[in-house]
Amino acid sequence: MSPRLVRFGLGLWFCAIVLFLLFPLVFLIPLSFNESEILSFPPTVWSLRWYRVLFLDASWSNALWLSVKIGVLVTILSLVIGTASALAIVRHRLPGASLLYGLSIAPLIVPSIVIALGMFMLFARLQWLESLTTLVFAHTVVAVPYVIVVVSAALRNLDETIERAARVLGADPWRTFLLVTLPALRPAILAGAMFAFFASFDDLVITLFVSGAMETLPLRIWNDLNLRLDPTVAAASCVMVAMSMIGLGIAEFARSAGLRRLRMENTDG
Amino acid sequence: MVAPLLVAPLLLLFAIFFVVPFIEIMRISFSGQGGALAGATWLMSSSLFAVIFVNTLKLALTVTLICLGLGYPAACFIAGQPASQRGIYLALVLLPFWTSVLVRTYTWALVLGREGLLNASLIWLGLADEPQRFMFTPLAVHLGMVQILLPVAILTLVGVMTELDPGLTRAARVLGASPWRAFWHVYLPMTKPGIVAAAMLLFILSLGFYITPALLGGPRHRTIANLIDLQVHQMNDWTSASAMALVLLATTIVAVVLLRWLVPDRNLHGGAR
């Protein structure tokens, strides 16, 4: 076995894996443009029929709109809460900082069905179910860990002496944060925002337990799947895939731009 | 001090939406209609729970092993690329990773269904006379879960592999070891922390799977998560659901503690998500 043959074999293996990972997504796109009621492959007549249903039919467009609305609110909340916590954990040498960090990422490790069940039983008693506020806070619990992970990693890589220099030169802590720390954290915050938005936008399990009759897009899809395979689901799925691709693109761009700037600053110094 | 003020919103959010719901689970599982041990008694006596618990563990284990087997060579390939090109290959893995789990599961239902792509191709190729049943089989659940978790395996393994010193494997080769010996005695042992970390992570994530087994496995291939949902939404039995949630949580915690104990901290940072 020559090394070149090994490398070729690994390359072939990798291609097969990528095909397996991407195949269902590639298969979905032509299906969503199929005129037919039955999900047949390949489509015979192409049309935008199911996209029209998705955007014009009230039950679908309301679900899409509700998901976007919740996603935006969750993102804003997560950014504020997450960035503040990351600052406290990394910069302020809080007692028990590592314990706090562990707690803050716990919602990613605890199965979401457990979180969902606990919320459902508690909020049923408090009569908090079926409220937009509850749903937004519930999603924020699983979204904020991403912001904390990304922002605290960026903070650890950020040279603290720059902030100290600003303080020595007379800036108060708030000015230092706004003019020095925040601009340096912008890429991480943007990436965190994308992760937080999709944690909320994609969530099904928690929504299934606490939303009551309110239908988000994943819940609308879920309710439809249990009845029949409606082609509108294919169109809705394509919209979700397109959105995550754009989001991932933005997050990756922000992250690599941040890394590049960090590298430049390091070589300059 | 500013620091306590900065973490106060997080602590408040987690108290109301994470800690208190968890206490509620404990409270209900130990104080149901049937007394303090109603939940525990249900767990011990329910044959359904026993079967589904064992099935969930088995499913998590096989999915973990399949993901590691498929992912290891793929991760080797990515780690072997020059650093400047790794990003492109990683993007191909990240793309499906960031797609909704619900959407990815749904597409498998389309592929494996009675009139799905797989059956249509089998009949067109003449390999089958009539549609075969792929949905609601263990095969469907495994396919769906492996597709969802494989990127996690690859990303975790790549994180560990890119930090290795390639000089050590090269030294083994220069000193006369065959490529296989160099791999088996040098490279593989060096990646062991990564394998263990990935395995534990995959196992933890598989334990709580709800969507994929529900859609692709149907009623005959339920996991604990599906059974919890069933007890709450169909049977209206919160006590047994809470008891099961505690078992699921305890299993997860054991896995996390094992992970912390088996893998030194620094190897966990290249991890997924």
Side-chain angles (χ1 to χ4, degrees):
Chain A
M1 253 201 325
S2 76
R4 194 175 296 159
L5 197 69
V6 172
R7 220 172 301 147
F8 180 73
L10 283 179
L12 216 58
W13 183 270
F14 180 74
C15 287
I17 294 288
V18 168
L19 277 181
F20 169 66
L21 288 176
L22 290 179
F23 154 73
L25 301 179
V26 175
F27 168 69
L28 197 62
I29 299 167
L31 269 186
S32 70
F33 291 105
N34 192 356
E35 165 74 31
S36 155
E37 294 266 350
I38 307 154
L39 288 152
S40 57
F41 192 88
T44 38
V45 184
W46 300 83
S47 91
L48 288 171
R49 181 178 168 189
W50 307 111
Y51 286 90
R52 221 171 293 135
V53 175
L54 177 66
F55 289 110
L56 297 180
D57 179 83
S59 85
W60 280 100
S61 61
N62 287 346
L64 177 62
W65 173 233
L66 180 67
S67 273
V68 171
K69 194 161 72 178
I70 294 173
V72 169
L73 291 172
V74 168
T75 306
I76 296 169
L77 261 176
S78 302
L79 284 184
V80 174
I81 298 176
T83 309
S85 314
L87 275 172
I89 292 170
V90 179
R91 280 290 183 264
H92 289 271
R93 285 173 198 89
L94 211 58
S98 66
L99 195 72
L100 195 65
Y101 186 77
L103 173 75
S104 65
I105 57 171
L108 296 185
I109 294 161
V110 174
S112 43
I113 190 94
V114 176
I115 304 178
L117 175 72
M119 285 181 179
F120 168 73
M121 296 189 307
L122 178 69
F123 300 156
R125 204 149 57 93
L126 299 173
Q127 302 199 318
W128 282 9
L129 294 177
E130 210 171 333
S131 113
L132 185 69
T133 321
T134 306
L135 207 49
V136 167
F137 282 117
H139 280 185
T140 307
V141 169
V142 286
V144 81
Y146 292 112
V147 178
I148 296 180
V149 169
V150 179
V151 173
S152 55
L155 266 176
R156 279 194 199 101
N157 285 329
L158 181 70
D159 191 351
E160 211 182 332
T161 48
I162 305 171
E163 286 161 306
R164 244 182 252 142
R167 297 279 284 125
V168 169
L169 293 171
D172 60 56
W174 180 240
R175 252 178 95 84
T176 310
F177 172 72
L178 274 189
L179 297 178
V180 180
T181 319
L182 196 60
L185 288 183
R186 213 175 334 171
I189 289 177
L190 194 58
M194 290 301 138
F195 296 156
F197 180 81
F198 285 106
S200 159
F201 193 74
D202 284 346
D203 173 78
L204 174 70
V205 176
I206 290 175
T207 313
L208 200 61
F209 275 76
V210 300
S211 78
M214 289 173 29
E215 263 187 338
T216 61
L217 189 59
L219 196 56
R220 180 73 186 81
I221 293 178
W222 180 255
N223 289 338
D224 221 68
L225 287 183
N226 289 325
L227 295 172
R228 67 211 165 93
L229 291 177
D230 181 337
T232 316
V233 175
S237 300
C238 276
V239 169
M240 287 179 82
V241 173
M243 286 180 69
S244 14
M245 276 180 198
I246 296 168
L248 174 68
I250 296 175
E252 273 303 298
F253 176 76
R255 207 184 54 89
S256 54
L259 279 182
R260 219 175 302 130
R261 200 166 55 188
L262 202 72
R263 222 172 286 141
M264 257 155 57
E265 272 161 13
N266 285 349
T267 45
D268 282 355
Chain B
M1 269 304 273
V2 229
L5 271 179
L6 287 174
V7 284
L10 180 81
L11 293 179
L12 192 66
L13 174 78
F14 272 34
I16 303 174
F17 287 84
F18 190 61
V19 179
V20 181
F22 172 68
I23 294 172
E24 185 74 1
I25 294 181
M26 302 245 273
R27 193 184 69 81
I28 289 185
S29 72
F30 290 111
S31 68
Q33 294 94 336
L37 291 173
T41 321
W42 187 86
L43 288 183
M44 302 300 267
S45 62
S46 166
S47 56
L48 190 63
F49 168 74
V51 169
I52 290 182
F53 184 62
V54 172
N55 274 346
T56 308
L57 291 181
K58 257 197 248 165
L59 179 68
L61 196 67
T62 48
V63 167
T64 301
L65 292 177
I66 295 171
C67 284
L68 285 180
L70 293 176
Y72 193 91
C76 278
F77 173 79
I78 298 180
Q81 300 304 310
S84 57
Q85 285 167 33
R86 247 174 247 150
I88 307 162
Y89 297 105
L90 279 175
L92 288 171
V93 179
L94 276 167
L95 199 68
F97 180 58
W98 277 110
T99 310
S100 153
V101 171
L102 179 61
V103 168
R104 282 191 276 166
T105 305
Y106 161 69
T107 52
W108 281 112
L110 292 180
V111 172
L112 301 173
R114 226 186 118 75
E115 271 110 40
L117 182 68
L118 186 59
N119 267 321
S121 337
L122 283 180
I123 290 170
W124 187 74
L125 288 170
L127 291 172
D129 297 327
E130 53 189 43
Q132 305 288 306
R133 210 175 65 112
F134 296 110
M135 281 292 277
F136 311 129
T137 61
L139 174 80
V141 184
H142 279 86
L143 262 178
M145 284 179 68
V146 167
Q147 204 257 359
I148 287 162
L149 289 171
L150 189 52
V152 179
I154 296 177
L155 295 172
T156 313
L157 288 170
V158 168
V160 175
M161 286 172 179
T162 48
E163 277 177 18
L164 296 180
D165 183 358
L168 289 173
T169 324
R170 222 175 292 142
R173 293 278 290 128
V174 170
L175 293 171
S178 68
W180 175 248
R181 255 178 87 88
F183 170 76
W184 190 254
H185 290 286
V186 181
Y187 194 78
L188 190 65
M190 285 197 300
T191 56
K192 219 167 93 189
I195 299 173
V196 177
M200 296 311 288
L201 194 62
L202 292 169
F203 186 76
I204 292 165
L205 293 175
S206 325
L207 277 179
F209 257 60
Y210 170 82
I211 299 173
T212 315
L215 266 182
L216 300 179
R220 293 188 51 208
H221 301 283
R222 287 200 184 100
T223 60
I224 290 285
N226 303 132
L227 191 58
I228 291 175
D229 174 52
L230 185 83
Q231 290 295 321
V232 171
H233 285 123
Q234 314 275 319
M235 306 292 175
N236 208 17
D237 178 358
W238 295 8
T239 309
S240 64
S242 303
M244 279 190 285
L246 287 184
V247 171
L248 184 58
L249 192 64
T251 319
T252 310
I253 290 172
V254 169
V256 172
V257 170
L258 265 178
L259 172 67
R260 292 251 144 225
W261 182 63
L262 286 172
V263 189
D265 207 24
R266 66 192 164 79
N267 285 313
L268 288 175
H269 287 302
R273 281 212 180 177

